[in-house]
Structure formats: structure tokens, C-alpha cells
Amino acid sequence: METYQTEEQQVEAIKGYWKENGNSLIAGLVIGLGGFIGWNYYQDSVVEAQQVASYQYQQTMQAFESEEADFRANTQAFIDANSTTAYSAFAAFALAKDAVEHEDFAGAETQLKKAVELAANENIKAIAYLRLARVQIQLEAFDNALATLAQTMPETFKASIEETKGDTYLKQGNTELARTAYQAAADAGGLQANPTLQIKLDDLAVNVAG
């Protein structure tokens, strides 16, 4: 889906970073427990658990992409069993994307809300919020979409947030607010990431001139 293009690249980058650094990040977070339990044993168990989750995620996604029998149920089972790892949010993204492709927007909304809960960092959470807002637009739950977009997200997502706000306002028939939001997205660098933003601005300019 076109709406996922830029964010898919962000997700892949986060996946790669987590795969390369996840073990050391977890180790750093729990190093303070060394005075209470055997550190070497704990470190080994954490690293092993992370490696197992990584392997299971890869196997689950291979089955998902191949659409093997019960691939959706198996992916959900993976999410339920690995809720403390970043991979659970990635798996929820996969289920949400599958739901969107089958026009099951209510199902996608459920998975993206779960991804928000499971997100291991603010960047993953922001991607989940943006996708959730777009699904809520499809459900014509415009107030919900705007509430989702009002959540705290990193500044680097400002252009995407404002553009999605513009899409929401446009669906509501409020062209003035839509134009303001699209311009805010452009000012935040949105034209570089998404050339279609210029088309949206031009369309509103034509409507005003007409």
C-alpha cells in the first residue's frame, strides 16, 4: 500500500537496529540487577531469550508471507507469547497490513492499537499511531483519528502527522484546515518524503481559485 512506503523503510531500519543491538540494549537496562542475582546467568538468559524471539519472528514472518495454513492465527500466537520484545509490534504491523489489504479496517485498527501498546520505543509507537489514524479515517472515525494524531510523537514525524491531519480535515469537508495542515507538512519537509503532498496542496489551491 502506498501509505506504508516511507514508514516501511523506517520499520525495516528499526528492525535491523534491534537485531544488531537488541541484546546489548537489554543487557544495559538490566545491568543494575547484577547485585541481586547472578549477573552472568541473567545476562545469558536474556540474550538467549532475545535470540529465540528473533528466530521465531523470522519463522513466523516467512510463514505469514507464504500464507501457510493458519498463518494469521500463528502470527497472533507469536504476538501473545512475545509481548515483551520489539518483534511483537512488528508482527502486529504485519497483521494490520494484511487486514488493510483485505479492507478489514476494524481488524487493522485492533492490531494497530495493540502495536501502540507493544511498541519498544517512541519511533515504533509513532509509526503505529500514524497507521492507526489512517485506518480510522477509512472507518470515518475522524474525531478518533485527530485524537490519535494529537498523541506525543517525535518531531521527526511532524510532516507525516500534519499531512494525515490534512487528509482527515479534507474528508470532513474542512478545506481551510486541510490546506493549513498540508502547508505545515510541507514546511516540515514533507515534500521531500512524499511528492504527492504537493498535488494535495495544488488541488486545494485550484479549488480556492475556482
Side-chain angles (χ1 to χ4, degrees):
M1 298 281 295
E2 183 178 344
T3 55
Y4 283 91
Q5 185 177 0
T6 302
E7 288 157 19
E8 282 293 356
Q9 296 170 356
Q10 291 175 303
V11 170
E12 288 305 316
I14 294 170
K15 284 180 187 176
Y17 179 82
W18 185 263
K19 186 174 182 179
E20 293 177 7
N21 301 283
N23 295 339
S24 60
L25 288 173
I26 293 174
L29 288 172
V30 300
I31 195 168
L33 296 175
F36 299 95
I37 60 178
W39 167 242
N40 289 334
Y41 173 80
Y42 190 82
Q43 184 182 43
D44 289 344
S45 65
V46 169
V47 170
E48 181 180 358
Q50 183 64 22
Q51 290 173 339
V52 169
S54 176
Y55 174 77
Q56 291 178 342
Y57 172 76
Q58 292 174 17
Q59 296 297 109
T60 300
M61 288 300 98
Q62 287 175 5
F64 190 94
E65 292 168 4
S66 301
E67 296 190 0
E68 295 179 7
D70 298 325
F71 69 95
R72 294 186 183 90
N74 290 337
T75 302
Q76 185 61 59
F78 171 85
I79 293 171
D80 296 339
N82 294 275
S83 60
T84 59
T85 75
Y87 299 107
S88 58
F90 299 147
F93 282 156
L95 284 175
K97 185 175 181 181
D98 176 70
V100 167
E101 289 172 348
H102 290 85
E103 298 188 359
D104 177 14
F105 298 112
E109 182 181 36
T110 297
Q111 292 299 333
L112 290 169
K113 285 181 177 179
K114 177 61 67 173
V116 168
E117 295 175 8
L118 298 171
N121 60 50
E122 292 306 307
N123 288 322
I124 297 175
K125 184 173 289 189
I127 292 171
Y129 277 138
L130 284 165
R131 295 184 180 185
L132 174 59
R134 291 174 185 145
V135 164
Q136 289 168 334
I137 292 172
Q138 292 295 326
L139 291 168
E140 298 186 355
F142 303 124
D143 289 341
N144 290 344
L146 291 172
T148 297
L149 294 168
Q151 299 298 315
T152 301
M153 290 180 253
E155 186 65 20
T156 51
F157 289 88
K158 182 175 176 58
S160 295
I161 294 168
E162 292 298 331
E163 183 176 356
T164 309
K165 282 183 183 178
D167 294 341
T168 309
Y169 291 135
L170 194 61
K171 286 285 188 178
Q172 289 180 309
N174 195 327
T175 56
E176 185 61 35
L177 284 178
R179 183 167 52 252
T180 299
Y182 287 148
Q183 187 59 56
D187 294 342
L191 293 174
Q192 288 76 19
N194 182 15
T196 61
L197 176 58
Q198 185 63 60
I199 297 175
K200 294 177 182 180
L201 281 166
D202 292 343
D203 284 347
L204 287 180
V206 169
N207 290 335
V208 171

